[in-house]
Amino acid sequence: MTMTPLPPLREVIARHGLAAQKSLGQNFLLDLNLTGRIARSAGSLDDHDVLEVGPGPGGLTRALLEEGARRVVAIERDRRCIAALEEISAAYPGRLEIVEGDALATDMKTLVRAPARIVANLPYNIATPLLVGWLQTEPWPPWYDSLTLMFQREVAERIVAQPGGKTYGRLAVLAQWRAEPRILFDIDRRAFTPPPAVTSSLVELVPRATPLAEADPRLLERVVAAAFGQRRKMLRASLKSLGCDPLPLLDAAGIEPTKRAEELSVEAFCALARAFAASR
């Protein structure tokens, strides 16, 4: 599919006065070779709706359409970017829907048709809450079949971290419980305008057909938050924040009270969540 001729992104940014705003977590990608690589990393987009959050001037949006997405739904909070996105919409009639609003307050599943994928250079200030929201989608399996997302490198490392390390925490447990995450590649900070302070990474998360182990999502979240909220403490102390005696919970889950949160596998946290549910 040949891209309909569009003006260079730098020209679009200058014409619409789209200086990236730090308050919105904006860092624009202008290299169309790079945005093309990101779009291709999401796999074949033929016959897929693609949800994009924070498109900015539309560099990745162009690439998603160029790579054959059936339809792209772009959620953009910054009103200044809408006119630039409308130029892309005019070049690809009927294939780009622009939604002006806050992604955190948007019911995204109602905007797309199956099969759907989420591909985005996420605004850094809302990247983690967006991911957690997508991972807590009900029912499971979710309405999307993959997530291909840009994060700061340190966040990407936390998503794929294994038990025993300092980066292993709440995000790793929630992500790996319901999905299979992997870091695809890093992107140098100089690729962005303006350059962020750190390297970024593209992460793929493929939903598991069934979670690693049985657990109530809300209770698992509470248990994980309590355990890692005081990660230096032993579980017999950190889990007191759940409002109950943690020793029977740990015993029911077969976990030593002297363990610390970072030592537990995802399955062990699920066992704790089941024990917590049974105690209520």
Side-chain angles (χ1 to χ4, degrees), residues 32-261:
L32 295 184
N33 289 324
L34 183 53
T35 55
R37 184 183 179 195
I38 293 168
R40 289 190 295 275
S41 296
S44 174
L45 300 179
D46 294 349
D47 301 320
H48 276 76
D49 278 11
V50 177
L51 183 77
E52 182 187 7
V53 175
L60 180 57
T61 313
R62 295 185 186 195
L64 294 168
L65 292 164
E66 167 72 5
E67 291 300 319
R70 174 178 65 196
R71 181 167 157 269
V72 174
V73 178
I75 303 174
E76 179 54 65
R77 182 181 176 185
D78 187 354
R79 181 167 295 178
R80 300 174 309 148
C81 296
I82 301 302
L85 294 169
E86 286 174 344
E87 292 180 13
I88 302 173
S89 181
Y92 292 93
R95 293 179 56 205
L96 173 60
E97 179 178 346
I98 304 160
V99 178
E100 184 181 347
D102 183 352
L104 290 172
T106 301
D107 185 2
M108 300 183 199
K109 67 178 179 294
T110 64
L111 301 176
V112 294
R113 295 173 293 144
R117 291 181 179 163
I118 303 174
V119 186
N121 170 25
L122 294 175
Y124 285 152
N125 57 351
I126 61 169
T128 298
L130 279 173
L131 175 60
V132 171
W134 288 324
L135 292 170
Q136 292 178 333
T137 294
E138 295 293 348
W140 198 267
W143 50 270
Y144 54 86
D145 60 30
S146 70
L147 303 167
T148 306
L149 306 171
M150 186 84 68
F151 296 97
Q152 293 182 357
R153 175 72 192 188
E154 64 174 305
V155 177
E157 290 174 342
R158 283 164 46 205
I159 293 169
V160 302
Q162 297 300 303
K166 291 182 179 180
T167 55
Y168 181 70
R170 167 178 172 264
L171 203 51
V173 174
L174 296 179
Q176 295 171 37
W177 174 53
R178 278 185 155 180
E180 296 180 75
R182 65 187 180 115
I183 295 175
L184 299 179
F185 56 86
D186 292 342
I187 297 178
D188 190 280
R189 55 186 293 276
R190 293 170 294 184
F192 296 88
T193 299
V198 296
T199 297
S200 298
S201 299
L202 190 69
V203 179
E204 176 191 69
L205 297 101
V206 178
R208 300 180 188 275
T210 56
L212 274 180
E214 181 184 349
D216 180 299
R218 295 166 300 167
L219 298 184
L220 178 62
E221 164 78 14
R222 286 186 61 186
V223 167
V224 171
F228 285 107
Q230 302 177 75
R231 64 183 299 147
R232 292 188 176 184
K233 292 187 176 183
M234 296 177 186
L235 291 168
R236 66 188 182 195
S238 63
L239 292 179
K240 287 181 179 179
S241 62
L242 290 173
C244 62
D245 183 355
L247 292 179
L249 300 184
L250 291 162
D251 182 62
I255 298 168
E256 292 292 329
T258 54
K259 292 278 190 182
R260 290 179 170 80

